[in-house]
Amino acid sequence: MSRGGQEKEQNGPERRCIATGELRDPALMIRFVVGPEGQAVPDVRNKLPGRGIWVSADKDALEKAIKTKAFSRSAKEQVSVPEGLFEQTDKLLARRLVDLISLARKAGQAVTGYEKVKSLLENERATLLVQASDGSERGKSKLHSPPGKDVFIGCLTSQELGLAFGRESVIHGALTAGGLSRQIKAEGIRLKGVRGHSGGKKSRPKGKDDA
């Protein structure tokens, strides 16, 4: 297999998960490549050179691929699995989502703060509701997602969401229609799949009110 040449993927938009064997939309999967030292490398932006090795963006599938020899079988060569590959993949997915929300904020397409988010939802201008996984459930329950499918992102911690908005900690956020909302929704689905329903186990900073 050439690690630096052009990709030669199967025809059609779907990719086969090396852990489950299922054909899936690549938007719901994570691409890996074989690095220069023969190790599995997550490519969350789908831009690294080499033949793609695809895993469903699902916690069980990713753990299965890491624990078995799925990468080597797919690549038809020995591929090493670095220690902490799951955590590395999780971190890269989270960073990708945070960066996109940050870009939306700078473009005027994202707001934070309970009252601002509430106003955006009540005026039916919000397309996505984003809430920290470690925020108060009572406080979060007062806001309802806009109508539609996959319009809620709840897999980022308050600290991660804070990074997106340039603050130490953020609980509530919302996005308006714009060029980035579709990408953010897609990345939210992938991160949720890897993390499950929670967004990690980082504790909410003490003494911090809902941002």
Side-chain angles (χ1 to χ4, degrees):
M1 181 187 71
S2 174
R3 295 175 188 163
Q6 293 294 319
E7 247 185 278
K8 292 184 179 180
E9 306 288 8
Q10 67 184 70
N11 293 328
E14 293 184 321
R15 299 290 182 262
R16 188 176 299 279
C17 173
I18 64 171
T20 66
E22 296 177 338
L23 287 171
R24 303 199 68 191
D25 183 342
L28 302 175
M29 305 180 78
I30 303 164
R31 183 179 186 266
F32 290 81
V33 297
V34 181
E37 297 180 1
Q39 78 280 23
V41 177
D43 177 27
V44 300
R45 294 174 181 264
N46 300 341
K47 290 186 177 181
L48 293 178
R51 178 180 177 275
I53 300 173
W54 296 83
V55 183
S56 297
D58 174 84
K59 184 176 185 292
D60 292 338
L62 185 54
E63 287 182 339
K64 181 178 179 181
I66 290 171
K67 291 177 181 178
T68 64
K69 296 182 179 179
F71 289 99
S72 295
R73 287 196 300 271
S74 177
K76 295 182 173 58
E77 64 174 291
Q78 186 63 37
V79 179
S80 62
V81 177
E83 185 177 352
L85 182 61
F86 185 97
E87 291 75 14
Q88 180 189 4
T89 305
D90 175 281
K91 184 177 180 180
L92 289 171
L93 288 171
R95 186 72 232 187
R96 173 69 172 155
L97 181 56
V98 165
D99 287 346
L100 286 170
I101 295 174
S102 179
L103 286 174
R105 171 180 62 87
K106 293 173 183 177
Q109 299 172 14
V111 301
T112 186
Y114 179 85
E115 292 300 332
K116 289 182 180 179
V117 172
K118 181 182 178 182
S119 176
L120 210 62
L121 290 167
E122 289 178 345
N123 293 328
E124 299 183 350
R125 293 181 54 219
T127 57
L128 281 171
L129 173 63
V130 186
Q131 292 184 312
S133 60
D134 52 345
S136 164
E137 292 301 325
R138 181 180 177 183
K140 292 193 295 182
S141 66
K142 296 178 181 178
L143 298 176
H144 300 284
S145 303
K149 182 181 179 183
D150 297 322
V151 291
F152 173 73
I153 296 175
C155 51
L156 290 171
T157 66
S158 57
Q159 293 177 8
E160 289 170 334
L161 197 52
L163 288 174
F165 286 97
R167 300 187 181 187
E168 181 180 350
S169 174
V170 164
I171 303 300
H172 310 287
L175 283 90
T176 58
L180 292 166
S181 60
R182 181 176 296 180
Q183 284 181 275
I184 292 170
K185 180 187 291 189
E187 292 302 329
I189 293 171
R190 288 207 300 174
L191 184 60
K192 177 185 177 182
V194 169
R195 289 186 169 180
H197 293 291
S198 66
K201 296 184 180 179
K202 294 181 181 179
S203 60
R204 183 182 174 189
K206 293 181 180 180
K208 292 292 180 182
D209 295 327
D210 288 358

